């Protein structure tokens, strides 16, 4: 009796992964769309052959001929030498300095081959060294398109990679996702663009392909920028659906008390950004704002005012900095401003141990410590906040993407119900209900950066953030004169230091290394310290670097801040945050080794008082083109925004933001600086798609970013 059940179908056996599969996976080529978007580095024209006699010395060409001789020679070194002879009786030598036995078999006498390479004049006539060779049959058709050369690895041959890419291109879903009404009319379809890039016709403008100005390239750049803008706008809208504590400024509260006791007046720019932050804190959605400003523009006092709003409403605030020195500089300023108002400030770093640390953790957990300042130790597992309302991250670009993602998760986890009562503002004098506490699980987040971000880069990498900019320096800041000296004038610089010290001024001398390195011939900090001690025996010369114990670093900085140390030899641990108004001279050793942003930050350590200040950049030749461009920029401008724009032009977005570059690397094709017009178009289309076609927006992000979208929104 026949069964009414359908016949059981055995699943097809899974193909074992090959070495090529593993190599493809290492390149990130997992999905069909990944293969389709793996674009050529360059192209080879194999669509025509020329007679051997038609080859020209120094030019690349392709010939088809028969192997007339194939042998291994041992002088001057072991090599495979193959002679080709074409129908006209002309000879061409192919020389392989590195080869496999299989190649010798392939190029046996009598084989017909096509060889492509650069022709060179040799002792016995024209030859090609390591040409591309294919065995062919007589009359075999020539390719009808240029041959792509893809980014690859040693384990993955071009032939295997071309086959894989062709398969992915054939299988991938390349249907149009962006509605035709929103797509710029001048751009081809995605399928057309990829076909042209993977299989360009011989007559196609090769220059336009290589400089990426061809419409096919423009389509890919547009789609990539659109995916990024969609991803970040989606993240922003998602956060706007979350809940955060409503923390409003109140008349006569802590915020106003802090303003009254500050020893200076806020600048209009500081007041403007403080108001922008206060408005965000007063909303029921989490603030995600980037506060940027040039070196010395006064970001710390703006952060203090934000903290005062939060603490005044009965919540806690955490400030995290990348280094202990920077965190300690913040601590000193914040304590001097907030302690007189009755605010308890906790200090948490990795070096803080024992009973002192235990006490601080208890103060944080109970809510007694309203403000917590420290390094990444602030987000360690044992740190528990009673009622976290605001997290401030200084120099945010120096934290890795993974760290920032972990921080956000940690902050949400730590912000919970508490018995803390409001000082003023909404919720003053009463406990939060459990419902209110659950609704306030997402704290507000303020990120600060002394590296101003160019507009195009801000639109690209920080489209999910609101940005506040302090665009003016406080009064009293003296412009710093920058001078460039060869290392051969080191003695003249030391003489200038002696003069500055004689006038009661102080000096920084920054070196790139702590101790001498056999690999890098750089002047190290310990050697420079010894040299300056010998040259200035009547002055106290300090030394500070990242390997020193925290207590020792603190002691050295205290002596320098107090004026006892005349010259402080340091590594870049003093790059940001250090504020000594009496320091009037900054010397940077091997300035060619530093990034432009670093040099600008170091220059900002002087000129913080009313004394004329100088930054001396010592360099060693030879200089690379990039190093020359950096030093030229330092000489020509002191504007942090112009410095940032030039830094972007020199290094590109992938390197400029340091640890943020994991997100920048997701831009494989587009360049924010060169493709600003496309970026503006992508932004407009992204907003329209999210408004009217949200499902299509999801599909576009998945096609381009897969599971990597969260790195852009860290």
């Amino acid at each position: 009796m026949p069964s009414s059940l359908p016949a059981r179908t055995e699943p097809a056996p899974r193909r074992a992964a090959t070495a090529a599969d593993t190599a493809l996976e290492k390149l990130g080529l997992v999905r069909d769309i990944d293969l389709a978007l793996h674009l050529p580095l360059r192209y080879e024209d194999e669509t025509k052959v020329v007679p051997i006699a038609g080859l020209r010395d120094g030019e690349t060409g392709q010939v088809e001929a028969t192997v007339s001789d194939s042998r291994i020679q041992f002088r001057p070194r072991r090599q495979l030498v193959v002679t080709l002879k074409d129908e006209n009786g002309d000879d061409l030598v192919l020389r392989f300095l590195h080869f496999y036995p299989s190649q010798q078999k392939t190029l046996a006498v009598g084989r017909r081959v096509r060889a492509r390479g650069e022709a060179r004049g040799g002792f016995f006539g024209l030859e090609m060294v390591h040409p591309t060779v294919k065995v062919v049959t007589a009359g075999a058709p020539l390719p009808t398109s240029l041959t792509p050369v893809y980014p690859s690895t040693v384990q993955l041959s071009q032939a295997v990679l071309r086959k894989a890419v062709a398969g992915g291109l054939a299988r991938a879903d390349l249907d149009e996702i962006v509605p035709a009404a929103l797509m710029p009319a001048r751009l081809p379809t995605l399928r057309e663009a990829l076909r042209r890039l993977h299989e360009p016709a011989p007559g196609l403008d090769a220059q336009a392909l290589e400089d990426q100005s061809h419409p096919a390239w423009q389509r890919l750049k547009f789609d990539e920028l659109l995916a990024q803008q969609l991803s970040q706008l989606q993240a922003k809208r998602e956060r706007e659906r979350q809940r955060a504590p409503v923390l409003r400024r109140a008349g006569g509260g802590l915020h106003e008390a802090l303003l009254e006791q500050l020893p200076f007046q806020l600048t209009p720019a500081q007041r403007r950004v403080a108001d922008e932050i206060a408005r965000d804190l007063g909303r029921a959605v989490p603030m995600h704002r980037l506060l940027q400003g040039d070196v010395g523009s006064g970001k710390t006092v703006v952060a203090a005012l934000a903290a005062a709003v939060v603490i005044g409403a009965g919540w806690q605030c955490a400030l995290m900095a990348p280094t202990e020195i920077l965190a300690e500089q913040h601590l000193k300023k914040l304590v001097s401003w907030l302690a007189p108002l009755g605010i308890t400030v906790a200090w948490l770093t990795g070096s803080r141990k024992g009973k002192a640390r235990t006490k601080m953790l208890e103060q944080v957990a109970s809510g007694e410590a309203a403000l917590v300042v420290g390094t990444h130790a602030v987000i360690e597992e044992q740190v528990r906040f009673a009622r976290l309302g605001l997290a401030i991250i200084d120099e945010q670009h120096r934290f890795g993407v993974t760290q920032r993602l972990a921080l956000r998760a940690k902050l949400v986890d730590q912000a919970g119900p508490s018995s803390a009562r409001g000082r003023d503002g909404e919720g003053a004098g009463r406990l939060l209900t459990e419902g209110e506490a659950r609704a306030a699980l997402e704290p507000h987040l303020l990120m600060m950066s002394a590296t101003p971000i160019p507009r195009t880069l801000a639109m690209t990498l920080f489209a999910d953030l609101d940005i506040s900019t302090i665009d003016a320096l406080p009064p009293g800041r003296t412009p710093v004169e920058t001078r460039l000296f060869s290392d051969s004038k080191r003695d003249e610089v030391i003489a200038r230091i002696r003069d500055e010290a004689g006038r009661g001024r102080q000096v920084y001398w920054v070196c790139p290394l702590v101790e001498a390195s056999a690999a890098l011939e750089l002047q190290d900090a310990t050697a420079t310290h010894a040299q300056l001690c010998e040259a200035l025996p009547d002055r106290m010369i300090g030394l500070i670097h990242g390997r020193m114990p925290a207590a020792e670093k603190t002691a050295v900085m205290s002596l320098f801040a107090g004026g006892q140390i005349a010259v402080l030899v340091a590594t870049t641990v003093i790059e940001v945050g250090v504020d000594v108004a009496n320091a009037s001279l900054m010397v940077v050793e091997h300035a060619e080794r530093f990034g432009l942003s670093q040099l600008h930050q170091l220059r900002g350590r002087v000129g913080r008082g009313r004394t004329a200040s100088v930054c001396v950049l010592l360099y060693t030749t030879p200089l690379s083109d990039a190093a020359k461009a950096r030093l030229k920029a330092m000489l020509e401008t002191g504007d942090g925004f112009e410095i940032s724009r030039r830094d972007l032009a020199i290094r590109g977005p992938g390197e400029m933001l340091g640890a943020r570059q994991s997100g920048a690397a997701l831009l494989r094709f587009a360049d924010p600086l060169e493709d600003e017009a496309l970026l503006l178009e992508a932004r407009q289309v992204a907003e329209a798609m999210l408004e009217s076609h949200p499902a299509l927006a999801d599909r576009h992000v998945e096609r381009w970013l897969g599971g990597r979208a969260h790195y852009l929104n860290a």
Side-chain angles (χ1 to χ4, degrees), residues 618-638:
L618 282 175
Y619 68 90
T620 302
T621 56
L623 294 175
S624 67
D625 290 342
K628 289 177 183 177
R630 290 194 297 269
L631 297 179
K632 183 173 184 286
M634 289 293 292
L635 285 176
E636 292 179 347
T637 182

Side-chain angles (χ1 to χ4, degrees), residues 360-403:
M360 287 296 178
L361 292 176
E362 291 173 351
Q363 289 179 324
V364 174
S366 67
E368 179 186 349
L371 175 62
V372 182
V373 180
T375 59
H376 62 276
V378 169
I379 57 170
E380 289 179 354
E381 183 62 32
Q382 62 269 37
V383 182
R384 304 297 301 177
F385 287 87
R387 201 178 180 200
L388 183 61
L390 171 66
I392 302 172
I393 308 175
D394 194 19
E395 291 301 306
Q396 58 82 30
H397 64 281
R398 295 176 63 176
F399 290 96
V401 172
T402 303
Q403 282 180 296

Side-chain angles (χ1 to χ4, degrees), residues 15 73 94 189 191 217 241 311 331 374 392 402 430 569 572 579 655 692 712:
R15 181 176 63 87
Q73 293 183 355
L94 310 182
T189 67
R191 189 180 303 277
W217 268 109
R241 288 193 287 268
I311 296 168
L331 178 73
I392 302 172
T402 303
R430 68 177 178 83
V569 180
T572 53
D579 189 357
E655 295 181 31
S692 55
L712 284 171

Side-chain angles (χ1 to χ4, degrees), residues 75-298:
R75 292 183 181 179
R77 55 182 294 184
R78 186 175 184 271
Q79 54 190 290
L80 175 61
V81 179
V82 177
T83 303
L84 302 184
K85 186 180 292 289
D86 67 8
E87 284 75 6
N88 299 322
D90 295 309
D91 292 333
L92 173 68
V93 173
L94 310 182
R95 197 175 299 276
F96 300 89
L97 306 179
H98 308 283
F99 62 94
Y100 295 100
S102 59
Q103 285 177 281
Q104 186 181 11
K105 292 180 180 179
T106 299
L107 297 174
V109 173
R111 289 284 176 86
R112 190 166 185 83
V113 299
R114 286 178 188 156
R116 185 180 186 279
E118 180 184 339
R120 301 178 182 178
F123 188 76
F124 299 103
L126 285 179
E127 66 178 29
M128 291 181 180
V129 178
H130 283 286
T132 302
V133 179
K134 293 180 181 177
V135 176
V136 295
T137 57
L142 289 164
T144 57
S145 63
L146 301 180
T147 303
V149 178
Y150 293 100
S152 188
T153 63
V154 176
Q155 297 83 10
L156 197 60
S157 70
Q158 284 294 317
V160 172
L161 186 51
R162 285 180 190 129
K163 183 177 179 181
V165 169
L169 185 61
R171 295 186 301 268
D173 176 9
L174 300 177
D175 292 342
E176 292 296 289
I177 294 176
V178 181
L182 297 178
M183 177 63 66
R186 69 184 185 280
L187 299 179
T189 67
L190 180 60
R191 189 180 303 277
E192 291 170 349
L194 288 173
R195 286 293 179 192
R196 290 177 190 174
L197 292 172
H198 285 294
E199 303 169 3
L204 207 60
D205 185 352
Q207 184 60 39
L209 290 176
E210 291 184 9
D211 66 18
Q212 300 186 2
S213 62
H214 191 279
W217 268 109
Q218 296 297 298
R219 171 59 198 261
L220 265 66
K221 290 181 178 184
F222 175 82
D223 275 20
E224 180 180 49
L225 289 168
L226 176 60
Q228 192 208 47
Q229 292 295 304
L230 285 169
S231 172
Q232 295 194 319
L233 289 175
Q234 284 173 331
K236 188 173 183 178
R237 293 191 178 192
E238 176 62 29
R239 282 198 288 270
E240 289 174 348
R241 288 193 287 268
Q242 296 168 346
R243 306 295 296 171
V246 177
L247 310 171
R248 296 196 179 105
R249 290 186 295 198
L254 189 63
H255 178 271
E256 288 192 6
L258 174 58
L259 278 175
E260 290 174 2
Q261 69 95 38
L262 285 174
F264 52 83
Q265 294 292 317
L266 295 185
T267 66
Q270 289 170 333
R271 287 188 178 277
R272 171 174 47 78
V273 299
D275 289 343
E276 290 170 354
I277 293 168
R279 283 195 294 271
D280 279 359
L281 293 173
R283 299 174 63 217
V285 297
M287 173 180 71
H288 277 249
R289 184 170 287 276
L290 174 66
L291 172 61
Q292 64 173 1
D294 207 345
V295 178
S297 59

